[in-house]
Amino acid sequence: MRSRVCRLALALFGLCAALIAAAPASASPTQITIVQDEGRLLHQGPLAQSLALDEIKSLGADVVKVTVNWRNIAPTGSRKPAGFVGDDPAEYSAANWAPLDSLVRGAAIRGLKVMFLVGGRAPDWAVSSSKAPAGSYNPSSVEFGRFVKALGTRYSGSYNPAAAPGGPPPPPPGPPPCQTPTPPGDPCPQPIPASAVRASAASAPTAWAADDGGALPRVDLWSVWNEPNLSGWLQPQYNRRKQPVSPEIYRGLFLAAHDALVASGHGSDQILMGDLLPFARSGKTYPARVSPIKFLRELACVNSRYHAYRGAAAAARGCTNYQPLPGTGIAYHPYTLAEGPDALTPLADDATINDLTRLDRALRKLARRFVDHKMPIWITEFGFQTDPPDPFASPISLVPRFMSESEWLAYHDRRVRSYAQYPLSDDSTAGRGLGRFHGFQSGIDSSSNRPKKFVYQAFQTPLFVRLVSRSAVEVFGGVRVANGGTVTLEVGRGKSFHKLATVSLNRMGYFDRTFHVSSAAKRSFRFTYALETSNVAKPFARPRAGTLYPRKPPKKKKH
């Protein structure tokens, strides 16, 4: 252990700082960042997509995620069109592929990876009931597999839309298509620097056009179906005996999608299962949702004691002759309540960002039920709705701390591979009704695409300070655009700050250190990196990361 007396800080503030520990061994220091926003990336046209990609790149994110909605790409109608098979991308309308084609090309130019969440809703001809929401009732796994094969083929890295039957005419002879990453000396566009977002308005078209740019870039990060444990996305969740059936339906959908991706050349890709809703807000799950850990048990064909179902119980759940499920990880949406990441989650089978330990324990017990015994957790959707604009959401003044604390929690879980922001911009508030807002108000930008000042900064440069004792703090932070280097950590009182230490960043831009600081609870902290300065953070007293909170809040004493 090495100590260094900060003489200048001692003279000015009467405090002593000593770096006493490195990042805990249980941390996940290489987690990547995922940003999702279908509105700006797929539904508002090429200009909005281009500007959103520029902004995501400038923020230092690694992956851009979108939902590939089967229903939006497939033919419409209550009956499958005659002669339509569905496993060839050329069978689908080129116009329906256009936003995705533009996205993968734009992301490749900027050095961003693309994640496709496949599913969401099925076409009417592929479900067994028209029960609302449309396209959610018991979708056909066979038809879904055919669609995923078409999708995997199109984004295999070798598919040229211009050469497909019925595609646009081939482009005139010219240089070979751009490669990603761009080789030295290649005339293709270089990735946009994070330090300078380029104005794309002048070159972006006003409408989607048929793709004639050669082979489409490859997509190699996938997840299957959005929140299958919620009736809004997959029905039914239970049968009349109140037995969960959505896990069995999802098992069929996932296996069909996995086989289709393998068949279309994606066998070595990341193929995630889940994208699960984290809890039941009301405390009751029936009939609208299944708690995520219970869903995973049923998916893996085990009971509440993690014993395999047998006989009639197995047959009733489609678990006869169960084989370990393929897949490379669990995609998860660890949302929490408006009270923030410290909110308690009473149901033992629920798990928010504060309760990832529960999910870790469940996955350890389920290890042999999956092909990949380790089954890492990918946080693929997360955010905090803010007030303003939504008066029922978290106060916007608290959200920067909520965000940084949540990222600290994710960072300290070795099983976690990614952190996520959803969406980039708030949904429009124009649809407000009955005293509530429709859509999500959890963007780091407002609905007019302007940064929510301190929220935006909390995403760019997260900073969370945990009060360890009266004279010690743990300081966690990061610079999303960095892949190493150092930051200058400062400490002070009020608006007066002074250098505390120079701290090294790991290769993903994070740091996590513990310091001795006199009167720690009365201090404020911030850090600088190049021209960026983080938000100011006050020490916050909470258990160390990985501590499991009690299932129920303690009863209040009567006075």
Side-chain angles (χ1 to χ4, degrees):
M1 185 181 301
R2 301 181 67 181
S3 299
R4 182 177 59 188
V5 177
C6 305
R7 293 188 175 89
L8 183 57
L10 183 62
L12 293 175
F13 293 104
L15 66 97
C16 176
L19 181 60
I20 62 172
S26 61
S28 175
T30 58
Q31 66 186 19
I32 62 174
T33 301
I34 299 171
V35 175
Q36 178 181 1
D37 193 317
E38 281 82 9
R40 292 180 65 180
L41 291 168
L42 296 181
H43 304 316
Q44 297 174 13
L47 174 56
Q49 182 187 88
S50 182
L51 293 174
L53 286 172
D54 285 349
E55 184 175 357
I56 291 169
K57 178 63 179 178
S58 75
L59 284 165
D62 306 289
V63 176
V64 55
K65 174 193 172 189
V66 294
T67 301
V68 180
N69 198 324
W70 179 18
R71 184 178 181 85
N72 290 349
I73 296 175
T76 59
S78 59
R79 293 187 178 182
K80 185 177 179 179
F84 178 84
V85 178
D87 61 356
D88 184 345
E91 294 183 87
Y92 298 81
S93 167
N96 293 349
W97 292 119
L100 295 173
D101 292 350
S102 176
L103 175 70
V104 296
R105 291 197 190 281
I109 289 171
R110 293 163 175 83
L112 292 166
K113 291 180 70 66
V114 173
M115 178 179 184
F116 280 165
L117 166 56
V118 190
R121 298 274 162 72
D124 289 342
W125 48 264
V127 293
S128 57
S129 171
S130 59
K131 184 177 181 180
S136 64
Y137 200 91
N138 198 12
S140 167
S141 60
V142 173
E143 297 293 354
F144 183 55
R146 290 170 178 165
F147 169 69
V148 176
K149 184 177 180 182
L151 184 69
T153 299
R154 191 173 187 92
Y155 301 104
S156 62
S158 59
Y159 186 84
N160 184 349
C178 296
Q179 302 295 314
T180 302
T182 304
D186 194 298
C188 298
Q190 298 295 314
I192 295 177
S195 59
V197 179
R198 295 185 177 177
S200 303
S203 59
T206 57
W208 302 114
D211 193 295
D212 60 356
L216 289 160
R218 179 182 177 86
V219 174
D220 57 13
L221 182 54
W222 310 82
S223 61
V224 179
W225 214 268
N226 185 57
E227 296 182 347
N229 59 330
L230 177 64
S231 61
W233 293 104
L234 188 64
Q235 295 188 56
Q237 289 290 309
Y238 294 85
N239 60 21
R240 293 180 180 179
R241 298 188 299 276
K242 297 186 178 182
Q243 172 187 310
V245 295
S246 55
E248 179 183 356
I249 297 171
Y250 180 74
R251 191 186 309 122
L253 292 170
F254 179 79
L255 290 173
H258 185 275
D259 290 349
L261 288 170
V262 171
S264 56
H266 296 275
S268 60
D269 290 3
Q270 293 286 354
I271 305 175
L272 312 179
M273 66 178 73
D275 272 283
L276 296 172
L277 181 82
F279 55 66
R281 290 178 183 272
S282 65
K284 298 179 180 179
T285 62
Y286 179 85
R289 53 182 66 85
V290 177
S291 288
I293 294 175
K294 184 174 185 178
F295 186 93
L296 287 172
R297 287 199 305 265
E298 293 288 326
L299 182 66
C301 294
V302 300
N303 60 24
S304 59
R305 296 184 178 181
Y306 293 84
H307 297 159
Y309 284 118
R310 302 185 184 280
R317 293 168 170 81
C319 292
T320 305
N321 299 321
Y322 175 85
Q323 297 294 321
L325 287 169
T328 60
I330 298 294
Y332 201 70
H333 304 172
Y335 289 110
T336 186
L337 300 174
E339 292 80 11
D342 301 302
L344 299 178
T345 311
L347 298 183
D349 284 339
D350 288 351
T352 68
I353 190 71
N354 193 37
D355 309 304
L356 290 178
T357 304
R358 294 180 183 174
L359 187 57
D360 290 337
R361 290 179 179 178
L363 291 173
R364 283 199 298 271
K365 294 176 182 178
L366 292 171
R368 295 184 179 180
R369 310 300 287 182
F370 299 113
V371 172
D372 184 344
H373 292 181
K374 296 180 180 179
M375 289 305 283
I377 298 169
W378 289 68
I379 295 175
T380 56
E381 184 180 319
F382 189 69
F384 287 92
Q385 307 222 52
T386 63
D387 172 19
D390 186 347
F392 297 93
S394 303
I396 197 168
S397 61
L398 297 178
V399 167
R401 195 259 292 172
F402 289 173
M403 292 170 64
S404 296
E405 183 180 353
S406 297
E407 193 158 359
W408 170 77
L409 286 163
Y411 178 89
H412 276 267
D413 191 315
R414 176 175 288 178
R415 197 182 288 266
V416 172
R417 294 290 181 271
S418 64
Y419 187 74
Q421 169 58 41
Y422 176 81
L424 180 60
S425 296
D426 285 352
D427 293 329
S428 172
T429 59
R432 184 181 180 185
L434 300 178
R436 288 189 177 275
F437 283 85
H438 297 289
F440 277 74
Q441 313 303 323
S442 53
I444 57 174
D445 286 341
S446 68
S447 59
S448 61
N449 301 335
R450 295 180 179 178
K452 298 177 182 176
K453 184 177 179 182
F454 295 109
V455 174
Y456 196 91
Q457 192 68 33
F459 182 76
Q460 281 188 309
T461 52
L463 176 63
F464 177 67
V465 182
R466 182 176 74 95
L467 186 65
V468 177
S469 68
R470 289 184 297 179
S471 59
V473 290
E474 177 190 358
V475 184
F476 164 80
V479 180
R480 217 168 287 281
V481 298
N483 55 6
T486 62
V487 298
T488 301
L489 183 62
E490 299 178 339
V491 63
R493 284 188 176 182
K495 297 182 179 181
S496 178
F497 284 84
H498 193 79
K499 180 178 177 180
L500 176 61
T502 298
V503 181
S504 296
L505 302 171
N506 69 19
R507 63 187 178 91
M508 296 304 289
Y510 288 109
F511 69 89
D512 188 21
R513 297 290 185 267
T514 302
F515 294 90
H516 282 308
V517 180
S518 63
S519 303
K522 298 179 181 179
R523 308 296 177 180
S524 298
F525 296 81
R526 70 183 184 190
F527 67 84
T528 59
Y529 174 85
L531 299 178
E532 294 289 335
T533 301
S534 71
N535 288 331
V536 174
K538 290 278 192 180
F540 182 75
R542 65 151 292 152
R544 62 182 175 81
T547 301
L548 192 65
Y549 271 74
R551 292 183 181 178
K552 296 182 179 180
K555 294 182 179 180
K556 294 182 179 180
K557 295 181 179 180
K558 295 182 179 180
H559 296 283

